[in-house]
Amino acid sequence: MEDTPKFVVGVIGIIRKEDTILLMRRALTKSTNPGKWEAVAGKVEFNEHPNDALQREIKEESGLNVLINERPLAVCQVMRGTEPMILVYYVCDYVSVDVTLSKEHDTYQWANLQEFKTLCFFNELIEVVDGIFMSN
């Protein structure tokens, strides 16, 4: 059992505003996936509820006020570099405030589905977002 990898848990917020989804581009200074477009995401800290982690990450990375659907939309297993991760996806609805970028991202875009598919680098995220638009 010593060789069994330990998983890091991450949360991803798919933030909707009308018929668009928030995409943020990772700063070129980031060591992992610099310049890649993604949704707001982050790691769950020890003793932190996933919803609380997502709310924290959304505030830190975008400054937005959102409503988080407490039921996860999807869960998947991925590798982030050499780190095995479990990602929990949540749908969030934009409430108010303009996006305020942190040092983790250098720009953002409210993207329609086609723009999202063109810009986003992460296939799992594209599949989840595609499912949101298909169900509407």
Side-chain angles (χ1 to χ4, degrees):
M1 292 296 263
E2 289 181 30
D3 292 10
T4 303
K6 303 291 186 238
F7 286 88
V8 172
V9 177
V11 288
I12 297 180
I14 301 168
I15 302 173
R16 298 186 295 192
K17 181 179 179 186
E18 298 167 3
D19 290 333
T20 62
I21 302 286
L22 180 64
L23 266 176
M24 302 184 79
R25 188 174 68 194
R26 291 179 63 81
L28 296 176
T29 56
K30 298 299 288 179
S31 61
T32 305
N33 299 316
K36 302 294 184 190
W37 290 87
E38 65 180 3
V40 174
K43 295 178 184 175
V44 179
E45 303 293 334
F46 182 71
N47 280 334
E48 185 177 38
H49 190 280
N51 288 17
D52 295 336
L54 182 56
Q55 192 70 52
R56 174 180 51 76
E57 290 291 344
I58 290 169
K59 273 293 184 198
E60 288 174 5
E61 294 183 15
S62 73
L64 290 177
N65 293 326
V66 302
L67 290 175
I68 299 172
N69 183 331
E70 293 191 12
R71 172 178 264 170
L73 180 64
V75 178
C76 72
Q77 180 179 323
V78 299
M79 292 295 291
R80 183 175 184 253
T82 59
E83 191 174 52
M85 293 188 77
I86 301 292
L87 296 177
V88 184
Y89 294 84
Y90 292 88
V91 173
C92 308
D93 289 307
Y94 169 85
V95 174
S96 65
V97 184
D98 290 331
V99 173
T100 303
L101 294 173
S102 72
K103 63 184 177 186
E104 292 188 39
H105 299 95
D106 57 16
T107 192
Y108 72 94
Q109 179 175 332
W110 290 101
N112 64 33
L113 180 58
Q114 191 56 49
E115 293 166 333
F116 193 95
K117 288 179 173 183
T118 301
L119 292 171
C120 187
F121 171 74
F122 304 100
N123 289 330
E124 296 87 357
L125 180 56
I126 292 170
E127 289 176 20
V128 171
V129 169
D130 201 25
I132 293 170
F133 278 92
M134 297 303 261
S135 67
N136 286 344

